[in-house]
């Protein structure tokens, strides 16, 4: 049995959409990452002009990608950097079943939030209508529509519907949606719209006769039996495109158009199939047809058709007013077609004049390649478009408008100094999110929020809607309503506003009028083409508690083009230790910042910590405390103060009165000190009335209150007056009688919880809330200073429901979690922080709840609800089977860190120390520390350790540390991006030299070579050259991540595989050495066969360059072998130090000879394209995966040398990656195909269905939601550990496939 687990979520953005989703006035962004749906809102930040780039609210996120969040190329702060910056704030995210193919917004009546709804289409022709449910703070599915049926299949020889691209298009007025699926099928889903039968109904009973009941019911949203429709949509129907128009034999793309009375779409199609080989006979074969739909009669009418269009057109882009019409996008040209069928085009490269006879304006000097580009309008009333090329370059598309007609279009490149190179790779989608802001998603680079500014237009023309409201927020729905009021194609006369616009022709602005800059980004770790397992540079790691990848550093490739680079993954955080101080028997510590007056704090630009307080416990269980002063020389214990070290162990330390009063919590009393540790007050715990002396076990601070949890499960709240003296706050009857396990104070300065006390009194203490965990497992919240009645009470907290509210009903015999601690604090970064309620169980499980205000239908009340965050994985160590109250109180409580490298985080000390870290654009994540166990940890901010922390390690040392530089935690792993600026194809780790070998490529112009048999080639005179890739093998130092050596390959030669192997280098002595083997392919075009080479490198030691000690290694070529066919995969094989190479249609075993040649000793013929070869190390058992035919299981014999076929897959599997998964005496083969499926096969010769082992038994197949690229068998940390496979994907997701025992599987 196997278990599939997703370790990190996908990061590549495939689709995006801007709409008011959370409410009618909201501005939200919905992002699709394969099967992950994320919902964002925005926050505008005005940076401090005196701040550095690293403090500009998330600027550090872009520092490692080469993107500078400013107008300046150098990154220095200038006047333009003071402009407001838009940041992304994650609201929620959801895992969907299936790969998302389209997103669309739809305006329907009666949504729960009042906003618009979302249409989501996935593969296999399925569409879901989704809305936001504010009561559950989650998405809610209204309906699901599935159109995959057998009767939609055409001829038997046609490809199945799954092999076609499905996409969604929606009418701009939300009257219907169209799903194109299969070869030529269209599913129409009509929606009810208020006023359709009044505003846009041209029905006349005197002329058209009596309307049918069925048509009237569809218009008014009424069923045929007279009842009102309960759904926002009517019955959908499927049409064949041939029924719409017989000429739509080969559809290319369609989209609904603006400014039409009825739902109308434009479609590109051809009557003959396109063919590159028949280019001369089949050029200009496309037609553009505009078709209007009659939803009542389920009929259509063709309004216009434009024929003989270039054959490379691939997309229809609908345009809003004032341009209107549609823009047809091809690989070499752009063509605009207006509502009357008038076409104007422009050629963007030299190929356009060869590929088409269509009349185009010549702008071939641009040299653009439009394949994979994205086009979006600058605004909802703008006449200019932003063109984003596949390389990430930016261009402006402008139109020359004379009245209501477009007489031409022009394209101009955005200069680099204006931000024309802000994007590093091609986009996958673009969405306008507001005035001067656009989200650009990418699957090959980081997705960014792109902003632009314009200089003042010197031309006198009418001010647009956006310009009139320049200082106001743009409401997208209002703008669309304004667009809906415009006259359409059938209008008889333009309005006054249209006449005013027509009076002044729109002239394109100057090339330097737009200035672009990146506001924010979502990091992308895909596509992962290759992976390497290395060792971290901090030495050997042998901790068995870190899971399957303990001691391993994962290095994967990421990005394409200028965004290409490497990503390092570490499962645990290696803190950057700056200082280490040895304090004998130290058990706990706290860092505080104390000031002598409240005025002193406000005058300091940055408040540093000035004291460290420790609690020690020696071998004789003697408890004492000490205070240390933080000086330039380190820690100095303070002697001549009123602080009494012999008073006992400190339970907690905090400050009140804005840091001017230090409060020391001891088990039996509280001591209050001034900023110089002069004793000001002693508050004992002895009860004078009863004589009881309860001991303090926990404390929580929120100025001016202190909450004390005592060992008899009673609580006490103290308050500091203006002078800093503590006094008891009067308790209510419920607080006196109840018992509480834990409590936490939180100052709700932003009023997130919105809790008001029924007995409200005048008080200047602020909005301080007290959260109490009752002995029965319930939650009570009080607003201090009142303790009469809780402002919120939920008895079912220990049941850990997904949604917690005051009316949650507790059922009998429900299993309860043994909760021991409740903690409320803020999580986030400099961009956005929000409070979370964190629960800690007896087994150190962490459960996180997010507060939100739920709006009930028909009510204006917004009661507080708590939403449970999905379970976070926390690695566990061995724990005792039973727990008691005394043991739980001895554990170090959760610690809040207000600023650790810009994050507001929470730390869990103990045997498995973890940070809870959250960024504005990601959910909370648990990040484990490698240095374990950690006895205690506190924040630390000094001149030498800014925004860091101090902790006590296993040896009892106090370490001053910071988070590792340039590292991120969005995925729950410690990641770091290493930019290369080139495509990275393969990577592997060389252990003896602690270096990585990387295969990269760059695109170069291809020129015809000098050939005596072709003298005409010398006369070639073109400026727009085709491009080919040229590879390079680079040696990367692990400590500095710098390139220390490289080996350039021939033109058109790229690296296909890199492996480090322990090969035999001498036939006489049989000596072995760790060598680097590189397989390459030389692709010279479709008419010439591919060739390959095998390179063998040795990494040698040399004298390093001055001031660069890392350059002490070099690549030395010791063997090179040319092969007939590309070398697509490599593997070490056998026990004699040979290598296995997949070259062309053969897999060949070769041995390295002393003369530098590679001697073939055995081979096996394969079929089409061998995508992967793997050997189960040291056994001679191999698998060979073919990109079309499936997988083979073979064996290698050394006496005599031969490769023998054992078994093969029974079905044809398009193999992308494969590897072995041994499990005891069973052997499984895991194969990933091109449909995101993972197949598990077994070699079992004794099974009757295997035909004596000739067929591999298919055990199971499951869908992953991501496209796998590699499968890697991880080394087992112990001999008894279960085997695991690590899966990488094009979307940047990491997954783990682990073998399970039968007993574990039954659980």
């Amino acid at each position: 049995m196997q278990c599939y687990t997703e370790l990190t979520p996908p990061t590549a953005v495939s689709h995006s959409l801007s709409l008011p989703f959370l409410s009618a006035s909201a501005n939200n962004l919905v992002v699709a990452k394969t099967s992950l749906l994320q919902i964002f809102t925005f926050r505008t930040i005005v940076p401090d002009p005196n701040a550095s780039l690293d403090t500009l609210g998330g600027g550090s996120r872009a520092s490692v990608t080469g993107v500078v969040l400013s107008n300046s190329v150098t990154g220095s702060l200038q006047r333009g950097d003071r402009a407001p910056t838009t940041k992304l704030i994650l609201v929620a995210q959801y895992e969907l079943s299936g790969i998302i193919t389209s997103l669309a917004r739809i305006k329907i009546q009666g949504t729960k939030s009042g906003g618009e709804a979302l249409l989501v289409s996935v593969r296999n022709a399925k569409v879901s209508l989704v809305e936001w449910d504010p009561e559950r703070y989650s998405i809610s599915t209204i309906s699901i529509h599935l159109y995959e049926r057998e009767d939609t299949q055409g001829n038997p020889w046609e490809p199945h519907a799954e092999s076609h691209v499905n996409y969604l298009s929606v009418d701009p007025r939300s009257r219907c949606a169209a799903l194109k699926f299969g070869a030529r099928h269209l599913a129409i889903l009509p929606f009810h719209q208020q006023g359709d039968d009044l505003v846009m109904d041209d029905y006349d009973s005197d002329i058209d006769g009596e309307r049918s009941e069925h048509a009237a019911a569809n218009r008014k949203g009424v069923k045929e039996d007279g009842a009102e429709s309960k759904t926002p949509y009517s019955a959908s129907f499927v049409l064949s495109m041939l029924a719409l128009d017989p000429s739509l034999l080969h559809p290319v793309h369609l989209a609904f158009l603006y400014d039409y009375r009825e739902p109308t779409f434009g479609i590109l199609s051809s009557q003959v199939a396109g063919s590159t080989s028949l280019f001369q006979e089949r050029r200009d074969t496309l037609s553009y047809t505009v078709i209007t739909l009659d939803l009542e009669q389920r009929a259509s009418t063709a309004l216009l058709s434009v024929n003989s269009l270039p054959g490379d057109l691939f997309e229809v882009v609908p345009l809003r007013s004032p341009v209107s019409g549609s823009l047809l996008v091809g690989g070499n040209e752009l063509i605009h077609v207006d509502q009357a069928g008038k076409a104007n085009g422009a050629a963007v490269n030299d190929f356009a004049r060869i590929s088409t006879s269509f009349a185009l304006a010549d702008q071939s000097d641009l040299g653009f390649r439009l394949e994979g580009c994205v086009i979006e309008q600058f605004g909802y009333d703008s006449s200019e478009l932003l063109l984003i090329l596949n390389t990430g370059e930016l261009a402006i598309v402008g139109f020359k408008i004379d009245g209501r007609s477009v007489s031409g279009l022009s394209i101009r490149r955005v200069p680099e100094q204006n931000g024309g190179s802000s994007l590093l790779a091609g986009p996958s989608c673009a969405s306008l999110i507001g005035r001067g802001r656009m989200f650009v998603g990418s699957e090959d680079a980081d997705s960014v929020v792109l902003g632009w500014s314009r200089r003042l237009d010197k031309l006198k023309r009418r001010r647009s809607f956006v310009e009139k409201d320049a200082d106001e927020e743009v409401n997208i729905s209002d703008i669309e309503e304004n667009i809906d009021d415009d006259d359409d194609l059938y209008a008889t006369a333009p309005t006054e506003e249209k006449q005013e616009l027509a009076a002044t022709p729109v002239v394109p602005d100057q090339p330097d009028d737009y200035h672009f800059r990146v506001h924010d980004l979502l990091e992308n770790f895909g596509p992962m083409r290759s992976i390497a397992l290395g060792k971290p540079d901090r030495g050997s790691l042998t901790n068995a508690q870190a899971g399957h990848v303990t001691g391993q550093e994962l290095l994967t490739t990421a990005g394409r083009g200028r965004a290409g680079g490497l990503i390092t993954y570490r499962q645990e955080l290696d803190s950057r230790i700056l200082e280490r101080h040895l304090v004998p028997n130290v058990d706990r510590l706290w860092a505080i910042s104390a000031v002598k007056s409240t005025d002193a704090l406000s005058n300091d630009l940055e408040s540093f910590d000035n004291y460290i307080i420790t609690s020690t416990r020696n071998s004789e269980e003697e408890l004492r405390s000490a205070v240390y002063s933080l000086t330039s020389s380190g820690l100095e214990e303070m002697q001549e103060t009123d602080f009494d070290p012999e008073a006992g162990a400190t339970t907690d330390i905090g400050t009140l009165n804005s840091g001017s009063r230090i409060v020391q919590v001891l088990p039996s009393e509280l001591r209050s000190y001034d900023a110089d540790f002069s004793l000001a007050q002693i508050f004992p715990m002895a009860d004078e009335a009863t004589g009881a002396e309860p001991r303090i076990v926990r404390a929580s601070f929120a100025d001016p209150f202190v909450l004390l949890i005592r060992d008899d499960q009673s609580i006490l709240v103290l308050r500091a007056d203006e002078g800093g003296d503590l006094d008891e706050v009067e308790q209510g009857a419920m607080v006196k009688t109840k018992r509480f396990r834990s409590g936490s104070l939180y100052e709700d300065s932003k009023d997130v919880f919105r809790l008001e006390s029924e007995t409200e009194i005048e008080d200047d203490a602020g909005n301080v809330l007290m959260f109490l965990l009752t002995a029965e497992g319930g939650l009570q919240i009080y607003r201090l200073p009142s303790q009469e009645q809780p402002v919120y009470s939920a008895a079912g907290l220990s049941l850990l429901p997904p949604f917690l509210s005051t009316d949650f009903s507790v059922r009998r015999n429900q299993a309860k979690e043994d909760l021991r601690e409740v903690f409320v604090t803020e999580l986030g970064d400099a961009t956005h922080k929000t409070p979370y309620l964190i629960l800690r169980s007896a087994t150190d499980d962490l459960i996180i709840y997010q507060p939100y205000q739920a709006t009930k239908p028909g009510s204006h009340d917004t009661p507080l609800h708590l939403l449970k965050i999905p379970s976070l994985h926390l690695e566990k160590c061995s724990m005792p089977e039973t727990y008691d109250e005394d043991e739980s109180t001895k554990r170090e409580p959760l610690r809040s860190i207000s600023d650790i490298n810009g994050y507001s985080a929470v730390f869990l000390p103990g045997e498995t120390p973890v940070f809870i870290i959250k960024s504005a654009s990601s959910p909370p994540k648990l990040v484990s520390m490698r240095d374990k166990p950690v006895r205690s940890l506190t924040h630390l901010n000094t001149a030498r350790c800014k925004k860091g922390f101090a902790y006590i390690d296993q040896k009892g040392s106090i370490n001053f540390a910071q988070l590792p530089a340039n590292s991120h935690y969005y995925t729950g792993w410690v990641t770091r991006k290493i930019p290369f600026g080139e495509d990275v194809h393969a990577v592997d780790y060389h252990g003896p030299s602690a270096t990585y070998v990387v295969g990269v490529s760059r695109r170069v112009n291809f020129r015809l070579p000098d050939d005596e048999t072709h003298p005409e080639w010398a006369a070639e005179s073109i400026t727009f050259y085709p491009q080919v890739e040229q590879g390079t093998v680079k040696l990367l130092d692990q400590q500095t991540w710098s390139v220390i050596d490289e080996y350039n390959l021939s033109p058109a030669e790229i690296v296909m595989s890199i492996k480090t192997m322990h090969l035999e280098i001498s036939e006489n002595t049989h000596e072995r050495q760790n060598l680097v083997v590189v397989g390459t392919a030389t692709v010279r075009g479709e008419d010439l066969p591919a060739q390959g080479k095998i390179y063998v490198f040795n990494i040698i030691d040399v004298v390093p360059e001055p001031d660069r000690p890392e350059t002490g290694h070099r690549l030395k070529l010791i063997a090179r072998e040319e092969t007939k066919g590309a070398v697509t995969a490599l593997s070490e094989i056998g026990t004699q130090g040979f290598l296995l190479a997949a070259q062309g249609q053969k897999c060949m075993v070769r041995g390295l000879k002393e003369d530098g040649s590679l001697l073939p000793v055995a081979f096996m013929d394969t079929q089409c394209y061998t995508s992967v070869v793997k050997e189960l190390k040291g056994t001679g058992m191999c698998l060979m995966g073919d990109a079309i035919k499936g997988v083979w299981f073979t064996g290698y014999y050394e006496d005599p040398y031969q490769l023998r076929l054992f078994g093969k897959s029974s079905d044809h599997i398009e193999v992308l990656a494969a590897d072995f998964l041994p499990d005891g005496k069973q052997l499984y083969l895991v194969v990933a195909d091109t449909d995101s499926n993972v197949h598990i096969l077994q070699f079992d010769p004794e099974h009757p269905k295997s035909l004596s082992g000739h067929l591999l038994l298919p055990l199971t197949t499951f869908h992953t939601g991501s496209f796998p690229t590699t499968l890697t068998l991880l080394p087992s940390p112990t001999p008894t550990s279960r085997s695991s496979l690590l899966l990488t994907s094009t979307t940047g997701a990491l997954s783990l496939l682990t073998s399970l025992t039968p007993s574990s599987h039954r659980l």
Side-chain angles (χ1 to χ4, degrees), residues 422-736:
S422 298
L423 307 181
L424 300 181
S428 59
C429 56
S431 300
L432 189 67
I433 59 176
R435 179 173 55 87
R437 305 291 187 269
M438 184 182 297
F439 176 80
V440 181
S442 177
E443 296 179 296
D444 300 330
D446 296 336
S447 301
V448 303
V449 175
L450 186 67
W452 62 86
S453 59
R454 302 184 63 180
R455 62 174 185 170
L456 295 177
D457 195 352
K458 298 181 179 179
L459 299 177
K460 295 182 179 179
R461 57 182 178 87
R462 181 174 62 90
R463 298 177 65 199
S464 68
F465 179 85
V466 176
E467 291 171 340
K468 290 179 182 178
D469 297 332
D471 299 328
E472 301 177 4
E473 281 296 326
V474 178
N475 191 324
I476 297 177
S477 59
D478 292 343
I479 297 176
E480 289 213 340
E481 289 178 3
N482 185 50
I483 295 175
D484 290 346
D485 293 337
D486 290 343
D487 54 345
D488 52 49
L489 177 65
Y490 304 100
T492 56
T495 60
E496 290 185 4
E497 242 180 284
K498 294 291 182 178
Q499 291 175 354
E500 181 184 353
L501 179 64
T504 305
V506 178
V507 180
D509 297 310
Q510 298 299 320
D512 59 346
D513 58 345
Y514 284 94
H515 292 259
F516 295 88
R517 68 185 180 102
V518 175
H519 287 226
D520 199 6
L521 56 85
L522 297 178
E523 277 204 308
N524 178 23
F525 300 145
M528 300 175 174
R529 303 181 184 179
S530 179
I531 186 173
L533 302 180
K535 294 286 185 180
D537 56 357
R538 289 190 56 183
S540 175
L541 301 172
T542 58
N543 196 328
Q545 297 177 358
H548 293 284
V549 291
T550 298
Q552 300 289 342
E553 177 182 66
L554 304 180
L555 190 72
T556 67
T557 63
R560 286 192 177 97
R562 292 187 297 135
L566 299 172
I567 305 293
T568 64
Y569 285 86
R570 294 186 184 180
Q571 195 178 22
E572 295 176 315
L573 185 149
D574 294 304
S575 56
R576 181 166 163 258
I577 299 177
L578 304 179
E579 299 180 26
R580 179 175 280 114
H581 304 276
L582 183 60
V583 178
N585 303 318
V586 64
D587 190 49
R588 294 180 178 179
L589 82 164
W590 297 264
I592 59 173
S593 174
V595 293
K596 295 185 179 180
S597 64
T598 57
D599 295 335
L601 181 62
S602 60
N603 293 332
D604 290 339
L605 293 178
E606 187 171 9
S607 178
F608 289 133
D609 296 326
N610 41 23
Y611 297 112
I612 288 280
I613 294 91
T614 63
S615 177
T616 59
R617 181 194 301 265
N618 59 19
S619 59
E620 299 177 359
E621 295 297 322
E622 295 180 354
L623 306 177
R624 67 187 305 272
S625 301
V627 57
Y628 296 86
S629 175
L630 290 167
T631 64
S632 58
S633 59
L635 291 178
E636 294 183 3
E637 186 173 0
M638 300 177 64
Q639 301 291 343
E640 298 178 358
T641 64
D642 293 340
F643 188 88
D644 185 9
E646 305 301 330
T650 301
T651 302
D652 207 343
I653 288 284
T655 60
L656 298 177
N657 279 26
S658 301
S660 62
R661 186 61 63 93
I662 304 172
V663 178
Q664 180 190 18
V665 181
L666 298 169
S668 59
E669 63 186 18
L670 271 74
R671 297 193 176 192
S672 179
Y673 302 91
D674 293 335
D676 55 359
F677 277 93
S678 297
L679 184 63
Q681 183 187 8
I682 297 178
F683 194 98
M685 285 294 102
D687 191 341
E688 297 179 357
T690 62
E693 296 184 0
R695 298 178 64 82
I696 303 173
V697 295
R698 293 284 186 268
S700 180
F701 291 84
D703 203 1
F705 298 99
V706 182
L707 169 64
L708 304 176
I709 308 294
R710 299 184 286 195
D711 56 359
D712 60 353
Q713 294 190 343
S714 64
I715 68 167
L716 181 64
V717 180
L718 305 180
R719 179 175 181 174
D721 57 18
E722 295 182 356
D725 293 334
L726 297 173
D727 196 6
E728 182 177 351
V729 179
E730 183 179 356
Q731 293 183 340
M734 183 178 297
V735 175
K736 289 181 179 178

Side-chain angles (χ1 to χ4, degrees), residues 1094 1123 1127-1131 1139-1143 1146-1150 1173:
I1094 301 176
T1123 63
V1127 181
T1128 56
L1130 295 168
S1131 176
L1139 66 91
L1140 174 64
Q1143 49 187 74
K1146 291 182 183 295
C1147 283
M1148 193 169 291
V1149 179
R1150 292 176 177 269
V1173 294

Side-chain angles (χ1 to χ4, degrees), residues 317-374:
V317 179
L319 302 179
R320 305 178 184 89
S321 298
V323 180
S324 297
S326 58
L327 185 69
L328 309 182
V329 185
N332 309 310
E333 65 280 319
L334 293 175
I335 299 176
H336 176 265
V337 180
D338 64 11
Q339 294 178 335
K342 179 183 176 182
N344 294 277
V348 297
N349 58 48
D350 290 337
F351 286 155
R353 70 182 71 169
I354 304 173
S355 62
T356 180
S357 300
F358 193 84
L360 299 171
D362 186 13
Q363 288 194 258
S364 58
D365 57 321
L366 293 171
F368 286 166
R369 293 174 169 88
L370 298 183
E371 293 83 359
C373 71
V374 170

Side-chain angles (χ1 to χ4, degrees), residues 302-316:
L303 299 182
L304 61 90
S305 180
V306 181
N307 301 317
S308 300
L309 292 173
D312 61 344
L313 296 175
F314 59 86
E315 185 178 5
V316 178

